[in-house]
């Protein structure tokens, strides 16, 4: 891919290495992380803060460079992915962001946001389903600013792609609604490459894919074979290759002065473009001060002053509501004051309750369904593509993406969720129908193990709010944790508003809902089971068993609290029983015993399903009495599991 990279970066790509976060820069995505060395060298040549000494370190350690997913380490890198197809979908997100922000802020004579997104992709990426999901949506959305260059080298790890991948890629993308172009000699036809990119830039109503026929390991003894895919060339082959292309065979990390000069010229062009853009932005500010203030605020990543005052606050006397409905109430309150919230649902809008009355759909105006100014994206049944696109939306800047599906189907998007957490993309997942409490849809839709998986992911906040104030707290946290994705796991059934619940307490991730001194038992729970735990506690107290109740809506946020606070919430002295309508795995970190699901759920009205699995106040009270009796018989001091953890 070196020839096309050279043409792109010296002839077309607009960026300023001295100001790598210039907002209207072109975006470049390597959908395959294996090509990281190529990008590193390009960035070095352009004058980013990268030296050849750093490249040597990368060769030895793979550190602080754009390798498999590492975001924020290397100046000039938009996204890095690793798992194939993710970068392709990130590119679609970057293109959606440009189309939306351009439509929102551009005015006649002020084309402030008009950059292109370029994606290098390969056979492996195009085999992955996540890329197909994203490509299909990109074609529907007519993203003319998106240009994908397909490295058609016919090689994957298993060898020639003839063993598994023989489709006509161009015809597939034509059916998606893309413009398709091709260059049959990507190894040396620089003019053909130039003309293809120039033609792609002229198409404004379709994304473009350029099929570039290349030879892997071009010029080496192993060219055209899978042997060069993941293994370094031998020393004699490296010398022969350098000599063939007119480079000194006895020097490592050698770059001719002419090459530096060519890239210096490209960097100078980028600096001039940014200077002109800054002048345009200043003039824009004079003519459109309100829009200027909003655009610059969003670029800075700062939330509006006092936005949090719009979050709903609840009293115990307020009506019981499903937390998915409470989520809709929050969104309805904050969307008017947080225009950077852009998102949608994977074909479950009516169930997720994510489209508020003030939203319009993000659609090409030619469809008659909305406009690019719209903030609500109809993702279709594409959970994985949706998650990966959201990562690109966040990477662009000026947007906080939210996406929605059933909680169980966040598992479909697990690859994208993991990369959100690894790369620090602030993506908010609205995950409704959070347990066996969804009822009639049955085990296929009822998450049992999903929460365990998500809670285990580093740098991911998994929220399971028990009432309205905890739901508001979950949104507050998700909107202020700018480098952490959040999953909000929300109920279908109604939840009462709790005594002692406040937004401030919820923001600690865990707190005491019902306190008593000299307790015999503490019950800790989350979500819809907190009210069941309170019912059980009332029954136990009536029978002389002193019982505390703790709500733990977010483990990762609770874990961030001071040790003294955590030990005051889940304290020593009495056994702690965890209750949740999910797998109990993981609760041993906070409790001595746990009651929950040991298998799949069942289909039926949610109250009947809860009764079947013993998730009722009276049954939990019976379980609690057994726990108390066991630990009294065992004797000795009961130490909080948190003592070990801390």
């Amino acid at each position: 891919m070196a020839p096309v990279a050279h043409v792109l970066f010296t002839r077309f790509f607009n960026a300023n290495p001295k100001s790598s976060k210039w907002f209207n820069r072109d975006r470049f995505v390597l959908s395959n992380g294996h090509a990281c060395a190529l990008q590193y060298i390009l960035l070095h040549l352009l004058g980013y803060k990268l030296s050849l000494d750093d490249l040597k370190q990368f060769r030895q350690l793979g550190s602080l460079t754009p390798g498999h997913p590492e975001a924020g380490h290397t100046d000039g890198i938009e996204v890095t992915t690793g798992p194939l197809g993710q970068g392709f979908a990130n590119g679609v997100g970057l293109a959606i962001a440009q189309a939306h922000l351009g439509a929102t802020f551009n005015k006649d004579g002020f084309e402030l946001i008009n950059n292109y997104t370029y994606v290098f992709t390969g056979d492996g990426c195009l085999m992955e389903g996540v890329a197909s999901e994203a490509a299909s949506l990109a074609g529907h959305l007519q993203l003319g600013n998106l240009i994908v260059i397909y490295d058609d080298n016919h090689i994957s790890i298993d060898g020639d792609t003839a063993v598994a991948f023989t489709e006509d890629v161009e015809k597939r993308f034509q059916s998606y609604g893309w413009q398709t172009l091709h260059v049959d000699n990507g190894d040396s036809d620089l003019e053909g490459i130039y003309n293809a990119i120039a033609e792609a830039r002229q198409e404004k109503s379709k994304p473009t894919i350029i099929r570039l026929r290349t030879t892997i390991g071009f010029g080496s003894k192993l060219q055209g074979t899978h042997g060069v895919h993941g293994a370094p060339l031998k020393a004699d082959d490296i010398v022969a290759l350098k000599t063939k292309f007119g480079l000194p065979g006895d020097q490592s990390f050698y770059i001719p002065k002419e090459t530096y000069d060519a890239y210096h010229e490209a960097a100078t062009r980028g600096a001039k473009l940014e200077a002109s853009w800054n002048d345009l932005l200043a003039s824009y500010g004079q003519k459109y001060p309100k829009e200027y203030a909003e655009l610059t605020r969003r670029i800075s990543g700062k939330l509006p002053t006092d936005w949090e005052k719009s979050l709903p606050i609840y009293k115990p006397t307020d009506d019981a509501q499903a937390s998915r409905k409470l989520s809709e109430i929050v969104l309805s309150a904050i969307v008017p004051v947080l225009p950077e919230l852009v998102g949608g649902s994977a074909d479950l809008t009516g169930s997720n309750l994510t489209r508020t009355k003030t939203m319009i759909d993000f659609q090409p105006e030619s469809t008659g369904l909305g406009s690019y100014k719209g903030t609500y994206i109809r993702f279709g049944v594409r959970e994985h593509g949706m998650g990966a696109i959201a990562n690109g939306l966040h990477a662009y800047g000026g947007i906080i993406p939210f996406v929605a599906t059933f909680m169980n189907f966040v598992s479909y998007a697990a690859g994208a969720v993991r990369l959100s957490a690894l790369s620090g993309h602030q993506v908010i997942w609205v995950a409704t129908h959070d347990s066996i409490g969804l009822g009639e849809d049955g085990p296929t839709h009822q998450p049992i193990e999903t929460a365990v998986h998500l809670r285990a992911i580093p740098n991911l906040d998994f929220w399971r709010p028990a009432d309205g104030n905890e739901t508001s707290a979950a949104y507050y946290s998700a909107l202020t944790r700018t480098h952490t994705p959040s999953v909000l796991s929300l109920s279908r059934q109604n939840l009462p508003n709790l005594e002692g619940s406040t937004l401030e307490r919820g923001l600690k991730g865990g707190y005491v809902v019902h306190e008593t001194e000299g307790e015999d038992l503490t019950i800790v729970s989350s979500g819809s089971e907190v009210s069941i735990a309170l019912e059980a506690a009332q029954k136990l107290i009536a029978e002389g068993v002193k019982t505390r109740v703790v709500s733990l809506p977010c483990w990762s946020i609770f874990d961030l609290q001071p040790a003294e606070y955590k030990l005051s919430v889940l304290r020593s002295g009495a056994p702690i029983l965890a209750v949740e309508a999910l797998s109990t795995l993981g609760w041993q970190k906070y409790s001595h015993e746990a009651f929950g699901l040991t298998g799949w759920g069942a289909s039926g009205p949610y109250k009947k399903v809860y009764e079947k699995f013993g998730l009722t106040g009276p049954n939990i009270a019976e379980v609690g009495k057994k726990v108390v009796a066991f630990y009294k018989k065992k004797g000795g001091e009961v130490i909080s599991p948190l003592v070990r953890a801390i």
Side-chain angles (χ1 to χ4, degrees):
M1 293 293 275
V4 66
H6 173 67
V7 172
L8 175 63
F9 276 84
T10 59
R11 298 294 187 269
F12 295 103
F13 200 76
N14 295 330
N16 181 9
K18 304 303 181 187
S19 178
S20 61
K21 298 302 180 184
W22 168 37
F23 199 68
N24 198 43
R25 67 192 181 278
D26 287 338
R27 269 54 169 195
F28 176 62
V29 177
L30 278 168
S31 187
N32 183 346
H34 284 299
C36 54
L38 169 62
Q39 186 166 6
Y40 192 95
I41 293 167
L42 287 167
L43 293 171
H44 166 70
L45 290 171
L46 286 165
Y48 286 85
K49 300 170 185 176
L50 310 170
S51 70
L52 290 182
D53 287 338
D54 293 331
L55 184 56
K56 292 174 185 176
Q57 182 188 22
F58 155 62
R59 187 182 183 189
Q60 296 168 355
L61 302 175
S63 61
L64 302 182
T65 60
H68 285 296
E70 298 171 359
H73 289 319
T74 306
D75 193 37
I77 299 298
E78 304 296 344
V79 292
T80 53
T81 56
L84 299 183
Q86 291 287 333
F88 186 107
N90 293 168
V92 174
L94 290 165
I96 290 173
Q98 184 279 321
H100 170 68
L101 290 169
T104 302
F105 291 104
N106 290 349
K107 306 285 186 182
D108 288 342
F110 293 94
E111 287 288 312
L112 284 172
I113 302 171
N114 59 4
N115 68 279
Y116 287 91
T117 296
Y118 298 95
V119 179
F120 281 8
T121 197
D123 291 302
C125 302
L126 297 185
M127 293 186 216
E128 289 283 4
V130 64
S132 298
E133 292 180 27
S136 176
L137 184 60
H140 164 75
L141 293 174
Q142 302 174 22
L143 300 173
N145 63 333
L146 175 61
I147 299 173
V148 174
I149 299 171
Y150 162 37
D151 179 18
D152 179 23
N153 64 25
H154 285 206
I155 293 294
S156 63
I157 291 175
D158 272 1
D160 194 299
T161 52
V163 301
F165 190 57
T166 53
E167 67 184 43
D168 188 323
V169 170
E170 287 190 62
K171 286 183 179 177
R172 169 154 67 102
F173 275 78
Q174 287 167 14
S175 74
Y176 288 151
W178 287 56
Q179 174 181 232
T180 60
L181 305 172
H182 58 264
V183 179
D184 289 329
N185 177 11
D187 298 326
S188 58
D189 185 6
L190 302 186
E191 182 179 0
I193 291 170
Y194 177 92
N195 290 337
I197 297 174
E199 185 176 349
R201 286 162 56 94
Q202 295 305 309
E203 175 56 70
K204 302 300 183 184
S205 61
K206 293 180 180 180
T208 297
I209 186 168
I210 302 170
R211 181 180 60 78
L212 189 70
R213 188 73 174 93
T214 65
T215 305
I216 192 169
F218 179 63
S220 73
K221 295 176 182 178
L222 296 177
Q223 72 171 32
T225 72
H226 74 285
V228 76
H229 181 277
L233 298 177
K234 292 182 178 179
D236 63 331
D237 201 357
I238 293 173
V239 171
L241 181 62
K242 290 180 178 180
T243 303
K244 182 183 294 186
F245 290 118
L247 299 172
D250 59 346
Q251 293 190 41
S252 297
F253 301 99
Y254 170 81
I255 299 174
K257 181 179 182 301
E258 308 92 279
T259 306
Y260 278 117
D261 290 344
Y263 282 84
H264 177 73
E265 186 177 332
T268 300
R269 182 185 73 234
K272 290 178 179 177
L273 286 169
E274 185 187 6
S276 297
W277 186 84
N278 287 334
D279 290 342
L280 186 67
L281 180 64
S283 299
Y284 181 86
Q286 294 293 318
K287 191 168 184 179
Y288 302 103
K290 181 180 178 182
E291 290 86 347
Y292 171 85
E294 181 64 15
L295 174 60
T296 52
R297 177 190 70 78
R298 289 175 64 170
I299 291 174
S300 74
K302 295 179 180 178
L303 296 175
T305 303
D306 294 333
W307 72 271
E308 67 276 9
K309 292 181 179 178
S310 62
L311 288 168
I313 300 298
Y314 296 86
K315 305 184 298 295
T317 53
D318 291 332
D319 291 341
Q321 298 189 78
S323 53
R324 64 168 174 161
K325 181 64 179 177
L326 295 166
S327 166
E328 180 187 39
I329 293 169
V330 173
L331 285 171
S332 297
I334 65 176
V335 160
V337 298
L338 293 175
E340 55 262 59
L341 273 173
V342 175
S345 167
D347 199 50
L348 289 169
T349 296
S351 295
N352 299 145
L353 305 180
T354 40
R355 189 179 188 275
T356 69
K357 292 180 180 178
T358 61
M359 287 178 164
I360 62 172
D361 284 3
F362 176 85
Q363 298 276 3
E365 290 197 2
S366 61
T367 64
L369 300 171
S371 81
Y372 284 158
K373 291 182 180 179
T375 57
Y376 195 77
I377 302 172
R378 305 282 185 167
F379 284 102
V381 188
R382 302 183 181 99
E383 294 90 350
H384 198 182
M386 173 177 71
I389 287 168
N391 289 340
L393 286 169
H394 182 259
Y396 190 91
I399 287 173
I400 300 175
F402 71 92
V403 293
T405 186
F406 287 170
M407 165 71 167
N408 211 38
F409 302 143
V410 178
S411 297
Y412 267 37
V417 175
R418 185 176 187 271
L419 287 177
S420 294
L422 200 160
S423 302
H425 294 309
Q426 184 187 14
V427 177
I428 302 171
W429 282 83
V430 179
T432 68
H433 297 62
D434 74 327
S435 74
I436 60 171
L438 65 88
E440 289 83 354
D441 273 337
T444 59
H445 285 53
Q446 294 170 358
I448 303 299
E449 79 296 348
T450 311
V452 179
H453 176 199
L454 296 172
R455 283 167 170 159
I457 296 175
N459 192 42
L460 174 70
D461 292 338
F462 177 83
W463 284 88
R464 194 162 182 256
D467 73 348
N469 289 329
E470 289 188 13
T471 304
S472 290
Y475 269 100
Y476 180 95
S477 177
L479 287 162
T480 54
R481 300 256 292 163
T482 56
H483 297 289
T484 300
S486 301
V487 176
L488 277 55
S489 184
L490 306 166
S491 74
R492 182 178 184 238
Q493 72 269 36
N494 289 342
L495 309 180
N497 289 294
L498 307 175
E499 287 277 359
S501 162
T502 66
L503 185 147
E504 291 75 19
R505 287 181 175 177
L507 284 173
K508 293 183 181 296
Y511 62 100
V512 180
V513 181
H514 175 75
E515 184 63 282
T516 188
E517 295 300 322
E519 70 275 9
D520 301 303
L521 177 71
T522 293
I523 304 176
V524 59
S525 189
S526 78
S528 48
E529 288 74 69
V530 175
S531 56
I532 294 173
L534 285 165
E535 181 186 349
Q538 290 172 358
K539 191 172 189 305
L540 287 165
I541 292 167
E543 296 179 21
V545 181
K546 295 181 179 179
T547 307
R548 302 167 73 239
V549 178
V550 169
S551 177
L552 205 67
C554 186
W555 294 9
S556 55
I557 294 294
F558 181 70
D559 288 347
L560 294 175
Q561 305 309 310
E564 183 179 3
Y565 175 77
K566 289 186 286 187
L567 289 171
S568 73
V569 174
L570 295 172
R571 65 195 182 200
S572 299
I576 301 170
L577 168 67
V579 176
E580 195 170 45
L582 301 167
S583 168
T584 60
L585 188 63
W587 275 106
Q588 55 266 46
K589 179 178 177 180
Y590 305 103
S591 66
H592 300 94
E593 307 293 338
F595 184 90
L597 276 292
T598 58
W600 305 115
S603 180
Y606 95 86
K607 288 186 178 179
K608 293 292 185 182
V609 175
Y610 266 58
E611 287 173 7
K612 172 181 172 64
F613 292 104
L615 287 156
T616 65
N619 188 60
I620 298 303
E622 291 302 312
V623 173
K625 284 190 283 186
K626 291 178 181 178
V627 170
V628 171
F630 174 81
Y631 279 85
K632 282 186 177 178
K633 183 178 179 181
K634 186 178 179 182
E637 185 181 4
V638 181
I639 305 297
S640 170
L642 278 180
V643 172
R644 295 193 303 272
I646 292 169

